[in-house]
Amino acid sequence: MPLTCRGRVRGQEPSRGDVDDALGKFSLTLIDTLDTLVVLNKTKEFEDAVKNVIKDVNLDNDIVVSVFETNIRVLGGLLGGHSVAIMLKEKGEYMQWYSGELLHMAKQLGYKLLPAFNTTSGLPYPRVNLKFGLRSPEARTGTETDTCTACAGTLILEFAALSRFTGTSIFEEYARKALDFLWEKRQRNSNLVGVTINIHTGDWVRKDSGVGAGIDSYYEYLLKAYVLLGDDSFLERFNTHYDAIMRYISQPPLLLDVHIHKPMLNARTWMDSLLAFFPGLQVLKGDIRPAIETHEMLYQVIKKHNFLPEAFTTDFRVHWAQHPLRPEFAESTYFLYKATGDPYYLEVGKTLIENLNKYARVPCGFAAMKDVRTGSHEDRMDSFFLAEMFKYLYLLFADKEDIIFDIEDYIFTTEAHLLPLWLSTTNQTVSKKNTTTEYMELDDSNFEWTCPNTQILFPNDPTYAQSIREPLKNVVDKSCPRGIARVEESFGNGPKPPLRARDFMASNPEHLEILKKMGVSLIHLKDGRVQLVQHAIQAASSLDAEDGLRFMQEMIELSSQQQKEQQLPPRAVQIVSHPFFGRVVLTAGPAQFGMDLSKHNIGTRGFVATSKPYNGCSEITNPEALKEKIALMQRGQCMFAEKARNIQKAGAIGGIVIDDNEGSSSDTAPLFQMAGDGKNTDDIKIPMLFLFNKEGNIILDAIQEYEAVEVLLSDKAKDRDLEMENMDQKSSENDSHRQRSEETSRNQDLDLVSQEPEGEETSEVTHLDVNSDSVSISNQESCITEIHEANIQETESTELDIKSQDQSPTETDSNSNWDNKVQPMESILADWNEDIEAFEMMEKDEL
């Protein structure tokens, strides 16, 4: 926990849900980083760390852990540590006392994981109790029915290595059985696998397929199992899957999830950051061109946001803003440099290091990014950051003499642990037989029986990679979303409809006449809403019908854009005084009143002082202490606006309200917005932000230790230059939000709902379904728009919530990137027809 400067012990901190299943009170970070120390030539520190593991680590804890995470991090860490320990012992200088203690612990842990495999399918349960296994009442697990494909398919390297090191075959046998079952359950027509599977029946629970979260390392381990174990069946399976991936999922430079039964249909319109490993795997296979293309696209996203967001859309908007310092992109960068020798990838690595030091480095380590848009931090530094990120970045820049052993003699696990290649000929307790059924060799170059040697792949032609990258240099900028206030420009290359969606007023008779000409009519509903129905056949002409269709397109675009503004984005509180110097950035909730920090790119900077009374609910008794400072107050006792007025009257230049709920944190709670008091709050001119208890205590603790603490209140973290001269420009989203506020205050809440009109069998009509949180577009016989005529709130901008009637919350960015040229109506309708199926299939995607 790099912000609070202590380790995270499970049970002593508020639960973070499934992510805590990686913690088992077994010194996770210590074990996960053992072989990193040797790669970094810290052999003395490694020797001390191994002694600490042997002396202090207990694996017999009554705690439920993830089988997948424990395997790749702890079992893999122990085996990687053992691998480099015996290597150092052979060299004769270090570890002369070592007698396989780490391997003994790995075997002990392996036996503790075996009860999870007690299923008829051979697929393991997702969790196991380290002390009680599964079956006993004390285990508190064993009732799950589903697991992810990667969870069941990312065991073979560690389990086979454990069997090869110890001569105990059961581990490799269990891991092979799980892989065999997954292969048998692949979708036979597409040769793809789903994300989650029932461990008892083998039925696919989530039928979407990609190369990111939930599946990623399954593909990785098929190829690497062939490299490590030499079993042809693993390469055959990988190549079969790889052919399907390149046929359906790869849409260069994008990698988009599809449905295993309908692989030509995209399952979602965004990508998660875990797929960043895939270019590295393509390098291992020898398919360099698509690896370069996808890597370059990811790098352009990183240059825009400093880090790779946890998920981003096909037009490169932020979908999930977190970044837990994942290493997959650094991994692919290392492999691409090894394959091409292109110094460009050294520049990429330099950018990664500079961003980590500039934005993530905090006094006690490196903090994960809570939001890449604001630069706020999360009190989290996962073990994989030291196990993988440090390793790959060091190896990227290291010369051969910088590493005390030959890295080519080892293969990396998915957690970057080192397993020696000589295991392929040691203790072959499992007979190597081809268990790949119904295997058909494809007529392409996928089925090479050797892996390319990276040292001779592109010996003298680094320009090869450059020629592939060049067309992708501006792919992100070209696809960046238009500002909200520039909807009009999206139709700039063609004739504009006579009425703009944003100008439409249901009570304006001229507007109604124009709509009638375009084939759009109004139906008044009993609940006070109005439906807009467009029948192409009723339009005055075919051109008017197209105008009407474009009007509906604009209505969808307007709805989508305004939906994104429903929530104010998070703000940042940045501690800029000594010794923090801007390194600590706290996620803050915004206020719906006071100064709008998104419109003041320099933010508000000042020293903090505690108000008296602390709740700020009555006249301030220490105004001299608050004058020209940022006041700290506790939540409760009165309205937020009242607190703001009291400290503003006392001369404060800003305010921070700290939650009074002990232990609350932005890590575990949703963003909190401070509402007004129901009255006019225009008199409040100072900025107000809200901090949860944990983040607030970081500032209070800093005051205790350093007395004078200066902070910056802003819409996003600023450059750490003390003079704050080079301020980040506000994002185009903030600009467009402000412009749209002025333009759409007249607009009314839209509710686009589909119905099927009667008696219009020959008319061409488009059917839109927009209810209150997301959007669904379908193509039936009419285009119907419902508009609320009553209960319209006058806010800074109209907030449109769009929701599909039959779906859980799903993507709202996925509709309507309309072409600038005028499309024939048949073409538009055909496009929408495809969207219907896609949206219908996205039912559980976010969940």
Side-chain angles (χ1 to χ4, degrees):
M1 298 167 63
L3 298 182
T4 49
C5 295
R6 63 175 186 268
R8 182 180 292 278
V9 181
R10 193 165 174 185
Q12 294 183 12
E13 304 293 335
S15 172
R16 300 175 298 169
D18 289 350
V19 70
D20 281 342
D21 287 344
L23 307 178
K25 295 186 177 178
F26 37 36
S27 300
L28 175 65
T29 301
L30 177 64
I31 292 176
D32 209 6
T33 54
L34 287 176
D35 52 6
T36 299
L37 291 169
V38 178
V39 171
L40 271 58
N41 201 7
K42 301 287 185 181
T43 46
K44 180 64 173 66
E45 290 86 344
F46 170 74
E47 192 159 4
D48 293 340
V50 172
K51 290 177 180 178
N52 284 333
V53 170
I54 297 169
K55 177 169 64 79
D56 296 331
V57 172
N58 176 27
L59 298 173
D60 194 37
N61 300 313
D62 177 15
I63 195 163
V64 176
V65 297
S66 161
V67 173
F68 168 75
E69 296 289 356
T70 304
N71 171 65
I72 65 172
R73 299 202 208 188
V74 186
L75 183 58
L78 292 170
L79 292 172
H82 173 71
S83 300
V84 293
I86 57 178
M87 177 272 297
L88 290 173
K89 185 175 182 179
E90 287 178 5
K91 287 181 175 291
E93 184 176 355
Y94 292 97
M95 304 298 292
Q96 296 305 299
W97 53 270
Y98 181 70
S99 300
E101 290 86 350
L102 294 179
L103 181 60
H104 175 75
M105 294 178 69
K107 188 175 182 181
Q108 179 189 0
L109 180 60
Y111 278 121
K112 288 184 173 296
L113 296 179
L114 285 186
F117 292 82
N118 188 17
T119 61
T120 55
S121 66
L123 298 178
Y125 281 89
R127 298 175 185 83
V128 69
N129 188 300
L130 289 175
K131 188 177 184 70
F132 297 109
L134 283 175
R135 296 302 180 191
S136 67
E138 300 92 342
R140 304 185 307 282
T141 190
T143 59
E144 301 95 336
T145 58
D146 306 337
T147 193
C148 72
T149 299
C151 301
T154 311
L155 300 158
I156 186 64
L157 292 189
E158 292 83 1
F159 272 49
L162 182 57
S163 288
R164 303 294 175 96
F165 272 129
T166 63
T168 305
S169 63
I170 189 172
F171 305 108
E172 185 172 342
E173 290 170 358
Y174 274 45
R176 280 178 178 263
K177 184 179 178 183
L179 274 181
D180 290 345
F181 190 81
L182 288 173
W183 171 252
E184 290 298 322
K185 290 298 178 181
R186 76 193 184 282
Q187 211 291 321
R188 298 304 177 98
N189 292 324
S190 66
N191 281 322
L192 295 172
V193 292
V195 175
T196 55
I197 189 170
N198 186 297
I199 59 177
H200 304 298
T201 67
D203 294 332
W204 290 109
V205 179
R206 274 187 57 186
K207 300 178 179 65
D208 44 321
S209 183
V211 295
I215 302 180
D216 48 4
S217 48
Y218 163 68
Y219 294 134
E220 177 186 3
Y221 270 37
L222 284 177
L223 181 56
K224 290 183 176 180
Y226 169 68
V227 175
L228 183 65
L229 306 178
D231 189 332
D232 292 349
S233 67
F234 291 130
L235 182 61
E236 291 172 356
R237 296 179 192 183
F238 172 79
N239 282 333
T240 302
H241 284 314
Y242 187 77
D243 177 76
I245 291 168
M246 300 310 291
R247 189 185 304 269
Y248 303 121
I249 295 171
S250 177
Q251 301 175 34
L254 309 179
L255 291 163
L256 292 176
D257 285 17
V258 299
H259 298 279
I260 59 176
H261 297 290
K262 295 182 179 179
M264 301 305 292
L265 190 65
N266 288 338
R268 63 189 189 192
T269 58
W270 49 272
M271 296 165 280
D272 66 72
S273 62
L274 286 170
L275 61 76
F277 91 101
F278 197 66
L281 188 64
Q282 290 178 306
V283 170
L284 185 60
K285 180 189 165 42
D287 199 0
I288 302 297
R289 173 178 284 275
I292 293 171
E293 291 174 337
T294 299
H295 180 276
E296 181 62 23
M297 176 270 293
L298 295 170
Y299 184 45
Q300 297 300 324
V301 175
I302 288 174
K303 288 202 291 187
K304 181 173 179 60
H305 299 291
N306 299 322
F307 298 97
L308 196 60
E310 195 72 327
F312 54 94
T313 63
T314 52
D315 56 356
F316 308 109
R317 300 176 191 266
V318 173
H319 186 66
W320 294 330
Q322 308 97 309
H323 173 73
L325 306 182
R326 293 200 184 278
E328 285 77 14
F329 181 78
E331 173 186 359
S332 289
T333 303
Y334 165 66
F335 282 117
L336 274 169
Y337 179 65
K338 293 278 285 184
T340 64
D342 189 340
Y344 175 83
Y345 295 109
L346 297 179
E347 292 296 327
V348 173
K350 180 184 177 185
T351 299
L352 297 182
I353 291 174
E354 288 176 344
N355 287 348
L356 285 170
N357 282 323
K358 188 174 184 180
Y359 301 111
R361 186 71 185 260
V362 294
C364 295
F366 292 82
M369 306 307 295
K370 179 77 172 175
D371 191 313
V372 298
R373 297 165 298 189
T374 64
S376 57
H377 290 140
E378 190 174 351
D379 198 8
R380 169 184 181 184
M381 186 178 77
D382 288 270
S383 65
F384 55 66
F385 178 70
L386 298 178
E388 299 183 68
M389 183 75 87
F390 269 38
K391 213 176 264 148
Y392 287 125
L393 288 178
Y394 182 85
L395 290 171
L396 175 63
F397 293 99
D399 294 322
K400 199 165 187 178
E401 56 271 19
D402 295 326
I403 307 172
I404 61 175
F405 62 97
D406 190 351
I407 200 75
E408 302 293 340
D409 291 338
Y410 296 81
I411 192 168
F412 291 107
T413 70
T414 194
E415 192 77 3
H417 293 307
L418 299 170
L419 298 178
L421 293 175
W422 53 257
L423 286 175
S424 61
T425 57
T426 303
N427 288 329
Q428 295 183 32
T429 53
V430 178
S431 61
K432 287 201 307 179
K433 61 180 181 179
N434 192 333
T435 58
T436 302
T437 59
E438 299 181 25
Y439 163 71
M440 294 177 60
E441 186 163 333
L442 303 173
D443 185 21
D444 62 13
S445 60
N446 270 326
F447 290 83
E448 301 289 346
W449 290 103
T450 59
C451 297
N453 185 331
T454 59
Q455 295 178 350
I456 61 170
L457 206 51
F458 298 103
N460 298 307
D461 189 16
T463 60
Y464 172 83
Q466 181 181 350
S467 66
I468 298 173
R469 286 194 308 267
E470 203 58 42
L472 301 169
K473 282 294 185 185
N474 300 313
V475 64
V476 171
D477 290 336
K478 286 180 180 177
S479 299
C480 271
R482 299 177 297 275
I484 298 173
R486 293 160 54 197
V487 175
E488 183 172 344
E489 296 176 16
S490 66
F491 301 95
N493 292 342
K496 296 177 175 57
L499 179 63
R500 313 301 309 195
R502 67 163 182 259
D503 298 330
F504 174 67
M505 301 285 288
S507 58
N508 188 321
E510 290 184 12
H511 290 181
L512 299 181
E513 190 62 34
I514 295 172
L515 290 187
K516 184 178 180 180
K517 185 180 178 183
M518 295 190 296
V520 180
S521 56
L522 270 73
I523 301 174
H524 291 268
L525 302 179
K526 293 180 180 179
D527 60 6
R529 290 178 298 172
V530 174
Q531 278 188 348
L532 285 179
V533 185
Q534 199 235 357
H535 296 270
I537 198 170
Q538 294 179 359
S541 67
S542 59
L543 289 177
D544 290 319
E546 289 189 9
D547 285 343
L549 193 54
R550 280 195 297 273
F551 173 82
M552 301 311 297
Q553 293 174 8
E554 286 192 30
M555 199 68 84
I556 296 171
E557 177 79 6
L558 181 65
S559 301
S560 173
Q561 298 289 3
Q562 291 187 342
Q563 190 276 338
K564 291 164 195 158
E565 299 171 17
Q566 181 187 13
Q567 294 289 325
L568 291 172
R571 305 300 189 206
V573 175
Q574 191 170 9
I575 308 179
V576 296
S577 55
H578 172 82
F580 304 96
F581 299 126
R583 292 188 182 280
V584 173
V585 185
L586 307 174
T587 299
Q592 296 173 354
F593 53 85
M595 179 192 294
D596 184 354
L597 290 169
S598 67
K599 299 179 180 179
H600 296 76
N601 65 343
I602 60 172
T604 296
R605 179 172 175 169
F607 288 93
V608 295
T610 304
S611 69
K612 294 181 181 179
Y614 189 30
N615 60 29
C617 289
S618 58
E619 186 173 348
I620 302 300
T621 60
N622 62 334
E624 67 288 342
L626 296 192
K627 189 173 179 60
E628 298 301 318
K629 293 184 180 176
I630 295 172
L632 300 178
M633 295 161 288
Q634 187 178 48
R635 179 185 183 182
Q637 308 297 316
C638 64
M639 304 292 283
F640 293 118
E642 186 178 343
K643 297 176 190 285
R645 291 187 177 99
N646 288 333
I647 62 169
Q648 179 176 276
K649 183 179 178 181
I653 59 173
I656 298 175
V657 178
I658 299 174
D659 194 9
D660 58 347
N661 183 17
E662 188 68 31
S664 66
S665 167
S666 64
D667 296 347
T668 55
L671 182 70
F672 184 87
Q673 296 190 57
M674 294 186 289
D677 55 4
K679 305 172 186 176
N680 190 320
T681 55
D682 290 346
D683 58 313
I684 302 175
K685 306 297 184 184
I686 62 174
M688 294 287 291
L689 295 181
F690 177 88
L691 289 179
F692 283 107
N693 186 265
K694 179 181 174 182
E695 285 79 8
N697 283 337
I698 291 175
I699 293 182
L700 296 176
D701 291 345
I703 294 175
Q704 289 288 324
E705 188 163 354
Y706 304 107
E707 294 186 6
V709 175
E710 191 177 14
V711 302
L712 174 68
L713 313 183
S714 60
D715 65 322
K716 61 188 293 187
K718 307 301 181 186
D719 194 321
R720 292 179 181 178
D721 185 294
L722 285 181
E723 299 304 319
M724 296 289 175
E725 292 174 352
N726 300 320
M727 294 297 186
D728 291 52
Q729 293 299 314
K730 296 189 298 294
S731 68
S732 62
E733 293 178 9
N734 286 329
D735 291 336
S736 57
H737 178 95
R738 182 170 65 251
Q739 295 170 30
R740 172 57 85 200
S741 298
E742 299 167 2
E743 295 180 14
T744 63
S745 59
R746 298 172 299 174
N747 278 347
Q748 301 167 317
D749 291 354
L750 296 186
D751 205 0
L752 306 180
V753 180
S754 312
Q755 291 189 357
E756 188 169 335
E758 301 175 1
E760 294 292 347
E761 297 179 1
T762 61
S763 62
E764 283 187 328
V765 203
T766 308
H767 173 148
L768 309 177
D769 194 0
V770 185
N771 203 347
S772 154
D773 288 305
S774 87
V775 68
S776 168
I777 304 175
S778 56
N779 181 14
Q780 295 184 6
E781 295 180 350
S782 69
C783 179
I784 302 172
T785 306
E786 291 186 4
I787 302 179
H788 295 277
E789 286 189 315
N791 300 324
I792 298 179
Q793 293 183 330
E794 293 183 8
T795 56
E796 182 183 357
S797 66
T798 306
E799 298 175 353
L800 299 181
D801 282 347
I802 309 168
K803 186 168 187 177
S804 157
Q805 290 177 337
D806 358 92
Q807 295 176 0
S808 304
T810 60
E811 299 83 349
T812 61
D813 290 356
S814 47
N815 55 298
S816 342
N817 271 336
W818 306 106
D819 291 340
N820 288 343
K821 63 186 180 212
V822 180
Q823 293 177 294
M825 198 181 318
E826 293 81 358
S827 171
I828 295 173
L829 293 176
D831 291 342
W832 282 5
N833 240 336
E834 294 179 9
D835 289 339
I836 305 171
E837 298 181 55
F839 278 94
E840 287 173 350
M841 297 291 284
M842 279 193 247
E843 186 170 3
K844 294 182 180 178
D845 186 53
E846 292 264 336
L847 299 179

